[in-house]
Amino acid sequence: MMKSLYVLLLGSLIALGACQSVKINSDSIDRNSFIGERILWPDKISPQVNTVTVNIVFPPHYKILDDANPTIKLMTAEGKLIEDRLMDKIPFTFNLNKPINSAQLLAYISIYYCRDDDIAMCLKKNVLVEFNIDKHLVIHTLDINYPVKEVVD
């Protein structure tokens, strides 16, 4: 019994340890040392975003780790923090109504998730979404839909 518990704990530590933390503070994201998935958003966005909606879609049999809500930080390319939110439900919507005075908006999303039948094997996913700004676009809503890929054994 003790040997199997040790292996289970060791496996969990290895799985969590494989996803290093992102060097992030309230002022900036170090994009050069970012470890995680980077996504360049295909469409340009307006510098005036009124509402942001984040929808994280999990593969079958996966779910958010209880008591570990995802987070989102919005920053300019220069490192100015625009918004920092704990997502208490998915999809998560919030009002932004702040001008984005930058050529890019960065959205850093951090997710802890598990198989719904095996909470001993939980994973952390860091996602950095990069949006290019077009100052000629009118105010609009930003919908970030992120599908978490299934982990293959």
Side-chain angles (χ1 to χ4, degrees):
M1 173 79 175
M2 192 63 156
K3 185 176 182 180
S4 61
L5 179 62
Y6 172 75
V7 171
L8 179 66
L9 289 174
L10 182 60
S12 297
L13 290 173
I14 290 170
L16 288 172
C19 297
Q20 294 179 338
S21 296
V22 175
K23 290 182 181 178
I24 185 169
N25 58 40
S26 62
D27 299 326
S28 66
I29 296 173
D30 185 352
R31 290 195 275 180
N32 294 325
S33 64
F34 176 79
I35 297 174
E37 184 175 357
R38 289 178 75 161
I39 299 169
L40 179 58
W41 202 254
D43 302 318
K44 291 185 177 186
I45 65 169
S46 167
Q48 290 286 328
V49 174
N50 58 1
T51 305
V52 177
T53 299
V54 180
N55 189 26
I56 302 168
V57 180
F58 292 94
H61 310 295
Y62 285 84
K63 66 175 186 169
I64 293 174
L65 176 62
D66 295 334
D67 301 323
N69 292 336
T71 58
I72 182 167
K73 289 183 185 284
L74 296 178
M75 296 185 167
T76 65
E78 296 77 26
K80 180 182 176 199
L81 181 66
I82 298 172
E83 198 72 30
D84 185 356
R85 295 285 184 121
L86 181 67
M87 295 186 272
D88 58 356
K89 62 183 177 188
I90 299 296
F92 180 73
T93 300
F94 62 95
N95 293 327
L96 188 59
N97 293 322
K98 296 177 184 175
I100 303 165
N101 299 315
S102 178
Q104 272 194 322
L105 174 69
L106 306 177
Y108 167 67
I109 301 169
S110 179
I111 310 161
Y112 290 92
Y113 65 103
C114 309
R115 284 191 56 92
D116 56 11
D117 61 349
D118 184 8
I119 61 167
M121 181 60 179
C122 294
L123 303 165
K124 179 180 182 188
K125 182 78 170 179
N126 295 320
V127 182
L128 181 62
V129 186
E130 301 175 50
F131 301 92
N132 288 318
I133 304 291
D134 182 343
K135 64 182 180 179
H136 302 293
L137 294 175
V138 296
I139 192 166
H140 71 276
T141 299
L142 179 59
D143 294 317
I144 304 171
N145 292 300
Y146 178 71
V148 175
K149 295 176 181 75
E150 186 167 7
V151 177
V152 181
D153 295 332

